[in-house]
Amino acid sequence: MCHAVQTLFTEMGVSWLVHELDKDPRGKDVERALAGMVGRSPPVPAVFIGGALVGPTDRVMSLHLGGQLVPLLRQAGALWL
């Protein structure tokens, strides 16, 4: 599902960054913390916009379909159009 979010953001012209937990020495600790925040395991992808947790892929897609994603991205400075 991470690929779906990356593809969506790329097609929208969004500046995005991925933090690969499996390549981070503290990745398991971060994953446990994220699981508590999003309420499921595995918690990835956990999408943050402007430093705020938005949620997993289904939440991002729901915001997109509801027309609420673009305003969030603009407010965060991740989308300029």
Side-chain angles (χ1 to χ4, degrees):
M1 294 307 282
C2 195
H3 178 73
V5 174
Q6 291 175 0
T7 300
L8 173 65
F9 284 175
T10 298
E11 289 178 359
M12 293 174 73
V14 173
S15 297
W16 54 268
L17 174 70
V18 172
H19 184 85
E20 299 286 348
L21 295 180
D22 58 341
K23 296 178 182 167
D24 184 329
R26 299 176 316 168
K28 289 293 181 191
D29 294 331
V30 173
E31 189 171 333
R32 278 190 290 276
L34 286 171
M37 294 170 73
V38 299
R40 72 176 198 197
S41 186
V44 291
V47 178
F48 290 78
I49 296 176
L53 177 63
V54 172
T57 302
D58 56 342
R59 177 73 176 133
V60 173
M61 295 304 179
S62 177
L63 288 169
H64 179 57
L65 293 173
Q68 299 168 305
L69 183 59
V70 168
L72 280 176
L73 293 166
R74 282 188 182 142
Q75 184 179 0
L79 184 64
W80 293 277
L81 299 175

